[in-house]
């Protein structure tokens, strides 16, 4: 958190994040043109933002693209803001960028103090996942080319195919949202989970791509909340007071009442 606060304290770095918020996936040259400073100065600020986890970079051909990573900001919200406000008031970032193929890509990263095996289980175990994934029960046999589906409140919520399954390192899935007619019309996109061991922790990277340009933000707006929920669950065994976790808690309480 110290690196995040240090990075956010500088007005130039906040301006860079604002530029990426408005137009995600920009090159160094594009960002340089937007600020009254040298190329070296912009590179220095981008390096500090990347070290704080506030941006991530990806190569596309000869270009290096910079993407806003909303997860650290979401964690600050969960730790210092959310506890003082109504849990249903969640500021979900609408991160947009368009690529030449007229599709969007969203990238999210978070460090979690756990093992790859425990993190893989949190992603694929239906009881663990529903605690941070809006109460959705996701079932599959988690083999290549197998199907998976998610249900909540007796209704279909999402579905897709497991395109690549390499436990406990990589999971690539097609993704189709089913919770409303507005998202059904968006069609199929792709979600890639990547787990990278780092010392006694793991770096979890989630890439949601093949999204239609200007796709409905419901498709990807919940990722920061989901990832911060995974981190809290694995590191503390607790759930966050966010809509993603509270929906599971409400469902668990209702089931308990029915048993009684």
């Amino acid at each position: 958190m110290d690196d995040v606060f240090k990075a956010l304290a500088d007005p130039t770095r906040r301006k860079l994040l604002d530029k990426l918020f408005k137009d995600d996936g920009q090159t160094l040259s594009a960002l340089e043109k937007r600020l009254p400073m040298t190329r070296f100065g912009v590179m220095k600020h981008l390096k500090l933002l990347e070290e704080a986890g506030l941006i991530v970079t990806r190569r596309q051909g000869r270009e290096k693209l910079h993407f806003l990573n909303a997860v650290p900001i979401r964690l600050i919200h969960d730790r210092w803001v959310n506890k003082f406000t109504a849990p249903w008031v969640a500021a979900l970032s609408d991160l947009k960028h368009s690529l030449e193929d007229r599709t969007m890509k969203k990238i999210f990263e978070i460090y979690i103090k756990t093992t790859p095996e425990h993190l893989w289980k949190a992603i694929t175990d239906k009881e663990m996942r529903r605690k941070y994934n809006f109460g959705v029960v996701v079932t599959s046999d988690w083999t290549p080319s197998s199907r998976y589906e998610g249900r909540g409140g007796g209704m279909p919520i999402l579905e897709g195919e497991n395109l690549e399954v390499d436990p406990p390192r990589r999971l690539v899935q097609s993704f189709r949202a089913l919770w409303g007619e507005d998202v059904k019309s968006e069609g199929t996109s792709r979600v890639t989970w990547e787990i990278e061991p780092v010392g006694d922790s793991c770096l979890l990277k989630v890439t949601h791509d093949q999204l239609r340009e200007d796709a409905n933000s419901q498709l990807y707006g919940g990722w920061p909340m989901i990832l911060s929920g995974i981190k809290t669950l694995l590191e503390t065994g607790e759930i966050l007071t966010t809509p993603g976790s509270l929906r599971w808690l409400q469902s668990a309480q209702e089931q308990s009442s029915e048993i009684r």
Side-chain angles (χ1 to χ4, degrees):
M1 288 298 178
D2 290 342
D3 290 340
V4 175
F5 280 115
K6 180 180 178 181
L8 292 174
D10 185 90
T12 300
R13 291 193 283 274
R14 293 197 300 270
K15 186 174 293 185
L16 280 169
L17 294 177
D18 287 337
K19 300 302 181 184
L20 291 176
F21 177 80
K22 292 179 180 178
D23 186 13
D24 212 5
Q26 296 189 56
T27 63
L28 171 60
S29 297
L31 291 168
E32 179 187 357
K33 294 177 182 178
R34 298 173 183 269
L35 295 174
M37 63 190 313
T38 66
R39 184 180 183 87
F40 178 77
V42 176
M43 289 174 62
K44 184 177 179 181
H45 285 297
L46 288 173
K47 181 181 179 181
L48 288 172
L49 288 170
E50 187 171 4
E51 289 175 349
L54 290 165
I55 65 171
V56 294
T57 59
R58 290 292 184 273
R59 287 283 180 182
Q60 182 173 305
R62 297 181 178 179
E63 295 183 323
K64 183 179 182 181
L65 303 181
H66 300 79
F67 296 87
L68 174 66
N69 181 29
V71 174
I73 298 175
R74 179 74 224 188
L75 289 173
I76 290 174
H77 173 273
D78 292 336
R79 182 170 177 179
W80 282 287
V81 178
N82 194 54
K83 67 176 71 174
F84 301 116
T85 60
W88 298 102
V89 182
L92 300 179
S93 300
D94 182 16
L95 311 176
K96 296 183 60 178
H97 82 92
S98 58
L99 302 177
E100 291 181 357
D101 59 1
R102 311 296 289 178
T103 62
M104 291 199 303
K105 176 191 294 183
K106 301 298 175 183
I107 301 173
F108 306 91
E109 293 186 353
I110 191 170
Y111 285 90
I112 305 174
K113 191 168 185 178
T114 188
T115 65
E117 291 76 16
H118 286 156
L119 183 47
W120 181 269
K121 182 178 180 180
I123 296 169
T124 58
D125 182 88
K126 64 181 181 180
E127 291 303 324
M128 291 185 69
R129 183 161 176 170
R130 66 193 295 250
K131 291 181 179 180
Y132 60 80
N133 202 165
F134 300 93
V136 177
V137 178
V138 179
T139 57
S140 175
D141 62 12
W142 305 110
T143 58
S145 300
S146 63
R147 300 289 298 174
Y148 75 93
E149 67 172 5
R151 299 182 66 85
M155 302 291 291
I157 303 298
L158 52 89
E159 66 178 10
E161 180 183 347
N162 296 309
L163 305 174
E164 297 179 37
V165 183
D166 182 19
R169 294 290 187 268
R170 179 178 169 89
L171 175 64
V172 183
Q173 303 174 294
S174 64
F175 175 86
R176 182 165 179 257
L178 303 174
W179 60 79
E181 294 302 322
D182 51 347
V183 293
K184 284 183 182 180
S185 63
E186 295 288 348
T188 302
S189 54
R190 182 177 63 184
V191 174
T192 301
W193 306 74
E194 296 175 283
I195 301 172
E196 178 184 336
V198 182
D200 62 353
S201 302
C202 290
L203 171 60
L204 174 60
K205 303 178 184 179
V206 173
T207 302
H208 195 163
D209 62 359
Q210 297 183 359
L211 290 159
R212 180 184 62 82
E213 183 183 21
D214 297 324
N216 191 316
S217 62
Q218 292 183 56
L219 295 180
Y220 54 84
W223 281 116
M225 194 184 308
I226 290 172
L227 267 61
S228 59
I230 297 176
K231 178 179 177 68
T232 300
L233 181 64
L234 287 175
E235 292 184 346
T236 71
E238 300 178 356
I239 63 171
L240 292 173
T241 53
T242 61
S245 300
L246 291 176
R247 195 168 297 178
W248 166 81
L249 183 60
Q250 181 183 10
S251 174
Q253 291 173 340
E254 290 174 352
Q255 291 180 6
S256 177
S257 298
E258 291 175 0
I259 295 174
R260 293 175 185 174

